[in-house]
Amino acid sequence: MGIKALHLSSFDTAGGAARSAYRIHEGLQKVGADSHMLVQFKSGNNQAVEAVEGRIPTRLRSSLDSLILQFHQHPQQMFSLQWFPDAVAAKVAQMNPDIINLHWVCGGFLQIETLAKLNKPLVWTLHDMWAFTGGCHYSEGCDCYTKSCGNCPQLKSNRDRDLSHWVWQRKAKAWKGLDMTIVTPSQWMASCAESSSLFKNFPVKIIPYGLDTQRYKPMDRRIAREILNLPQDKKLILFSAISPNDPRKGFRFLDQALQKLVEAGWQDKVELLILGNSNSNNQLSSGLKSHAVGKLSDEISLALVYAVADVFAAPSTEDNLPNTVLEAIACGTPSVAFKIGGMPDMIEHQRNGYLVQPYETEEFAKGIAWILEDQERHQSLCYYAREKTEKEFPLELQARRYESLYNHILSQSPDGKGGVAGACTNPLAAKLKPNSMVRWAKGRPKLAG
């Protein structure tokens, strides 16, 4: 029998982290693995995805978990405490998987102390920084997580033993001695995890996200625009975020860059396309015409939107390996982004996109113009965007890498369950030899091949 893997995620398809977790599950299913998901909120129809049913309604649990924050300076960004008891451990014991892959488990889904009760080998795929901080999901440049948290700038605290330190202490106590492997999609997140005080003694490995390259692929741009009733004679700049007004997504920097474009004479040549549930199109200081697509969840519609754009703008200030950029380049749409987080893992400067030093909005505008002003260059960028996706981010390649990792972890367990690492023979995983899926150099992981 194959390995039975269980993925724990607050959501199955709602949000970027959930979609990433679901793609890992979906990819493993496609290669024949016995993969299941346990979630707090289920919105899809995959029969291998189950929702935990406890005595307390899930939405009330989420509210109760954040209750303590009401008595403190509430941070602008998401801040998760995960103190409220859950029913996950009992359900996991009932399902009895061989290995558990943790994903984004906040929103009241999984209490910090529950990890020690799962009694299974753990893999934690990091979709943001929360797992190794005192509660924040992105640190905004703070490095307190490398020590013990406290004096939290997001809580506007000046006390060593503040709420963030309490969360950090609970994690340090609960996770000591766990059989756990950390997986990050990006080089940047791996470096952060390795430097953290909580994860410094756990192995950290890199497995990039994958996606279905037959769902996300280039289309005829004219036909796609005709379907969406968008202008054929304009260059379209696409911006996407579930909440475009989230400061971390950097819409304010894009707005400034668009103002620079207008000043450079692009006003009658370009228009903005906004994907997400926001009225940001009414907040442009540049006066540039824009189109609000709204929030889309099905992948066919999303791929169509990426295909109509001439360039994708990703002005995030912090990001792991954002699905939006991955989906854009899969559709052959070159991207412009600040050189932060996992952006350099996907965007090769002036080959399939344009990387800008943070947070130079004038250079960001120049990057957009550089992509748009030369048709032959644009076609080359589109070609190499798609090529990079096909080589590095296919769903099956990601699935085989996880399959190989699970096999290796279980082969090291006392009963040897799981077989020999790297036993799969799929050509996409041919480079993944036993114990060499991740190459270690001075303690830092690098993908082999």
Side-chain angles (χ1 to χ4, degrees):
M1 289 182 65
I3 295 171
K4 183 178 181 181
L6 177 63
H7 301 265
L8 300 185
S9 173
S10 297
F11 306 88
D12 57 346
T13 58
R19 284 167 56 205
S20 298
Y22 185 81
R23 283 172 178 167
I24 296 170
H25 162 67
E26 181 183 45
L28 285 166
Q29 285 189 316
K30 287 186 174 181
V31 299
D34 187 10
S35 180
H36 300 259
M37 286 188 79
L38 185 63
V39 302
Q40 183 169 217
F41 297 97
K42 179 178 177 178
S43 53
N45 56 12
N46 189 304
Q47 294 184 352
V49 178
E50 293 187 46
V52 175
E53 296 181 4
R55 288 177 292 180
I56 300 175
T58 52
R59 295 193 182 278
L60 178 59
R61 288 181 50 77
S62 181
S63 299
L64 289 172
D65 194 78
S66 61
L67 185 63
I68 298 176
L69 280 174
Q70 307 305 315
F71 302 97
H72 294 75
Q73 177 69 45
H74 202 287
Q76 288 185 325
Q77 302 286 359
M78 183 176 288
F79 199 96
S80 299
L81 307 179
Q82 300 304 110
W83 67 272
F84 200 74
D86 60 70
V88 173
K91 183 63 176 178
V92 168
Q94 179 185 343
M95 299 176 76
N96 193 30
D98 299 317
I99 194 165
I100 296 171
N101 193 332
L102 300 160
H103 295 275
W104 199 91
V105 291
C106 296
F109 177 46
L110 191 71
Q111 187 185 36
I112 287 170
E113 289 74 14
T114 297
L115 267 67
K117 304 174 186 177
L118 298 178
N119 299 317
K120 297 289 181 179
L122 302 175
V123 172
W124 199 332
T125 299
L126 304 186
H127 304 285
D128 61 24
M129 302 174 74
W130 179 83
F132 54 82
T133 72
C136 65
H137 288 256
Y138 281 93
S139 69
E140 297 183 345
C142 171
D143 65 354
C144 286
Y145 66 87
T146 63
K147 306 175 187 70
S148 61
C149 286
N151 293 294
C152 178
Q154 293 193 32
L155 296 174
K156 296 181 172 55
S157 165
N158 57 8
R159 295 184 295 112
D160 289 340
R161 297 185 175 276
D162 61 9
L163 194 60
S164 71
H165 185 71
W166 173 67
V167 173
W168 181 91
Q169 282 187 312
R170 289 172 53 219
K171 290 180 177 179
K173 181 179 179 181
W175 299 346
K176 186 177 181 180
L178 288 178
D179 179 6
M180 184 161 66
T181 300
I182 308 304
V183 174
T184 73
S186 67
Q187 297 275 354
W188 169 76
M189 186 63 77
S191 297
C192 293
E194 286 180 321
S195 66
S196 72
S197 54
L198 290 172
F199 283 169
K200 63 182 179 181
N201 294 322
F202 292 108
V204 178
K205 305 193 175 188
I206 301 171
I207 301 179
Y209 288 149
L211 81 173
D212 189 333
T213 56
Q214 293 307 305
R215 292 179 186 171
Y216 291 92
K217 60 184 178 182
M219 305 179 195
D220 186 293
R221 190 170 281 111
R222 295 190 65 84
I223 295 175
R225 291 189 181 189
E226 185 176 340
I227 292 172
L228 295 177
N229 197 29
L230 291 168
Q232 300 284 359
D233 60 342
K234 305 292 183 180
K235 301 293 186 181
L236 293 182
I237 303 167
L238 175 62
F239 171 81
S240 174
I242 292 177
S243 298
N245 292 322
D246 178 352
R248 185 175 61 84
K249 293 302 181 180
F251 185 80
R252 64 194 183 279
F253 294 119
L254 176 60
D255 192 20
Q256 294 171 23
L258 295 177
Q259 180 65 45
K260 305 288 185 184
L261 280 177
V262 169
E263 293 170 0
W266 283 84
Q267 182 162 1
D268 297 326
K269 302 175 185 177
V270 299
E271 294 180 2
L272 180 65
L273 193 59
I274 300 174
L275 178 59
N277 50 0
S278 169
N279 63 347
S280 299
N281 57 308
N282 296 323
Q283 302 172 8
L284 289 174
S285 60
S286 63
L288 201 67
K289 186 175 180 180
S290 60
H291 307 267
V293 178
K295 182 181 178 181
L296 300 175
S297 55
D298 71 285
E299 296 191 307
I300 295 175
S301 299
L302 283 169
L304 188 65
V305 173
Y306 286 114
V308 304
D310 295 285
V311 60
F312 182 76
S316 298
T317 59
E318 285 182 297
D319 235 326
N320 186 3
L321 198 79
N323 284 316
T324 52
V325 174
L326 188 58
E327 291 160 358
I329 64 172
C331 294
T333 302
S335 299
V336 178
F338 292 124
K339 193 176 181 180
I340 57 93
M343 299 299 188
D345 293 14
M346 298 177 289
I347 302 172
E348 298 178 31
H349 184 55
Q350 295 188 339
R351 180 175 173 84
N352 70 347
Y354 198 100
L355 288 172
V356 180
Q357 290 300 316
Y359 298 99
E360 299 290 337
T361 55
E362 185 170 352
E363 184 63 24
F364 202 98
K366 288 180 180 178
I368 294 174
W370 184 84
I371 287 175
L372 297 179
E373 64 191 2
D374 186 293
Q375 182 62 29
E376 185 175 345
R377 177 194 296 155
H378 186 265
Q379 290 178 351
S380 175
L381 292 165
C382 293
Y383 172 84
Y384 286 114
R386 176 63 183 182
E387 182 188 62
K388 187 171 183 69
T389 306
E390 291 177 337
K391 286 184 177 180
E392 299 184 26
F393 306 113
L395 191 66
E396 186 177 350
L397 178 57
Q398 180 194 41
R400 292 299 184 186
R401 284 169 167 161
Y402 273 100
E403 187 179 52
S404 180
L405 176 62
Y406 296 162
N407 273 314
H408 174 63
I409 291 171
L410 291 173
S411 72
Q412 306 302 306
S413 63
D415 61 0
K417 188 172 183 180
V420 180
C424 56
T425 58
N426 186 282
L428 282 171
K431 299 177 185 177
L432 305 182
K433 299 175 183 178
N435 300 325
S436 68
M437 185 192 74
V438 175
R439 183 171 68 249
W440 292 81
K442 296 183 180 180
R444 180 168 180 173
K446 303 285 185 181
L447 268 178

